[in-house]
Amino acid sequence: MGFFDLFEEPEQNKENQRQVRKEGQDTEFANEAHLDLREEELDIHKHRVETGDVELHKQIVEEEKEVNVPVSHDQVIIEQRAVDHEPSEEPISAEETVHIPVTAERVDVEKHTVVTGEVTAHKRSVEETEQVHDVLHKEVAEVERHGDAEVINED
């Protein structure tokens, strides 16, 4: 028996009422019937998953550096010159010593640590659009006419 068969009353017994089974319940009607139409909709849920990670760390690298540092040192210059035989009152002694200190700059190298920069890391959420495809089912009403039944469709 089809849905619209419910609207046709049998010729033998027009006073009899028909019953339609609807979701396990019986519903009585005389000249009217009801049919629920259903369709599927998408239920979309999102969840976070770990897709990887990022590690931030330091490593020590060596670099040779050459620095030119100006340094100074003393030089002793010995000059000898002739003098016109001037008379001297000092006798000739056995020994006479003159002490001249000589200096030079030496470079001492020490190292110390300084902060030259910093690296920061943070996360941000970026929104994208992902297209979801699925097939949805939908109930639609079909009207079948038999004979000269007049049907007026009011939507």
Side-chain angles (χ1 to χ4, degrees):
M1 169 165 40
F3 171 73
F4 290 100
D5 291 336
L6 299 174
F7 294 108
E8 296 177 15
E9 294 186 15
E11 295 292 326
Q12 308 117 353
N13 191 359
K14 289 188 177 181
E15 282 114 16
N16 284 349
Q17 293 181 344
R18 295 186 182 222
Q19 292 184 351
V20 176
R21 181 169 295 277
K22 176 182 174 190
E23 297 179 14
Q25 300 174 355
D26 289 339
T27 304
E28 284 190 22
F29 73 96
N31 294 324
E32 197 173 300
H34 175 80
L35 181 66
D36 289 331
L37 300 177
R38 295 169 185 80
E39 70 178 71
E40 295 175 333
E41 292 183 347
L42 293 176
D43 292 324
I44 298 175
H45 305 281
K46 300 184 288 184
H47 66 280
R48 288 214 173 261
V49 296
E50 187 172 323
T51 59
D53 64 9
V54 172
E55 288 184 0
L56 183 61
H57 62 89
K58 309 187 285 189
Q59 69 179 24
I60 298 172
V61 295
E62 292 183 355
E63 171 186 19
E64 268 194 52
K65 188 145 191 158
E66 266 186 38
V67 178
N68 294 326
V69 179
V71 292
S72 66
H73 64 276
D74 294 338
Q75 292 179 336
V76 177
I77 300 168
I78 307 294
E79 294 180 358
Q80 202 170 3
R81 57 187 158 102
V83 180
D84 289 335
H85 298 296
E86 294 179 15
S88 174
E89 300 214 358
E90 292 186 34
I92 296 178
S93 62
E95 289 185 25
E96 189 176 342
T97 305
V98 176
H99 181 72
I100 303 171
V102 177
T103 62
E105 293 178 331
R106 299 284 184 242
V107 177
D108 293 325
V109 178
E110 295 178 3
K111 297 186 266 185
H112 67 279
T113 304
V114 296
V115 177
T116 61
E118 71 179 3
V119 176
T120 60
H122 63 277
K123 295 189 319 183
R124 68 176 175 201
S125 182
V126 179
E127 197 165 297
E128 298 176 334
T129 301
E130 185 173 320
Q131 216 169 38
V132 177
H133 296 280
D134 205 346
V135 176
L136 302 177
H137 297 92
K138 176 180 183 176
E139 296 175 339
V140 293
E142 290 185 11
V143 178
E144 290 184 27
R145 293 185 338 161
H146 302 284
D148 289 334
E150 182 179 343
V151 176
I152 299 172
N153 206 357
E154 293 181 359
D155 290 340

